[in-house]
Amino acid sequence: MATIVSIEIVEPRDADLASALDEAIARAFEWFHEVERRCSRFDEASELRRLCDRAGEAVTASELLFNAVQFALALAEDSGGAFDPAVGSDMVRRGFDRHYVTGARSTQPDRTMAGRWRDIELDTAARTITLHRPLLLDL
């Protein structure tokens, strides 16, 4: 997500511990890749983009995406909307529309931005997310 991630480990003296640390590092980096696969607005196949294509429907979300949207909505509430996860189309219009790795322009559809974060509904019992208007989320 255009972020540098580094993990620093102090060199272990025990070979078994070194192997376990290598596995832990690999799992940590895989988690960052999973976040990218689920939450990127630049990847048309991401869970986030599939959600944004289904405005008006209650969409069952993975735990990762649901928690990310829930956290983003809590920030929006606490900040009076200053941090709004529904800014994706605004970002596209301002030129933030290129994939950070490939440089290719995003094929993100232009969405009417009449709605904002308050147009996102979460159902914690069913773990669904409903976008009540066409929105492009940017987490």
Side-chain angles (χ1 to χ4, degrees), residues 7-33:
I7 299 173
E8 186 175 335
I9 305 283
V10 175
E11 180 106 12
R13 296 171 205 242
D14 182 326
D16 290 335
L17 182 57
S19 177
L21 287 173
D22 287 343
E23 290 174 19
I25 291 168
R27 282 193 315 271
F29 279 116
E30 179 52 35
W31 184 82
F32 283 104
H33 291 299

Side-chain angles (χ1 to χ4, degrees), residues 23-78:
E23 290 174 19
I25 291 168
R27 282 193 315 271
F29 279 116
E30 179 52 35
W31 184 82
F32 283 104
H33 291 299
E34 183 67 14
V35 171
E36 178 78 14
R37 283 189 292 270
R38 295 205 178 269
C39 299
S40 174
R41 74 171 168 91
F42 293 96
D43 179 358
E44 293 178 32
S46 76
E47 185 180 5
L48 177 77
R49 284 289 299 274
R50 291 191 317 265
L51 166 67
C52 291
D53 289 339
R54 296 174 63 191
E57 296 179 46
V59 177
T60 302
S62 67
E63 185 176 358
L64 196 156
L65 180 62
F66 188 87
N67 289 339
V69 172
Q70 187 174 45
F71 181 74
L73 292 177
L75 286 176
E77 178 73 35
D78 289 348

Side-chain angles (χ1 to χ4, degrees), residues 68-94:
V69 172
Q70 187 174 45
F71 181 74
L73 292 177
L75 286 176
E77 178 73 35
D78 289 348
S79 69
F83 293 96
D84 185 344
V87 298
S89 290
D90 290 341
M91 300 299 285
V92 169
R93 279 193 287 281
R94 289 181 169 89

Side-chain angles (χ1 to χ4, degrees), residues 47 50-62 65-66 119-133:
E47 185 180 5
R50 291 191 317 265
L51 166 67
C52 291
D53 289 339
R54 296 174 63 191
E57 296 179 46
V59 177
T60 302
S62 67
L65 180 62
F66 188 87
D119 294 306
I120 304 167
E121 178 184 345
L122 301 181
D123 180 335
T124 55
R127 201 173 71 213
T128 60
I129 303 170
T130 305
L131 307 180
H132 290 290
R133 297 177 189 245

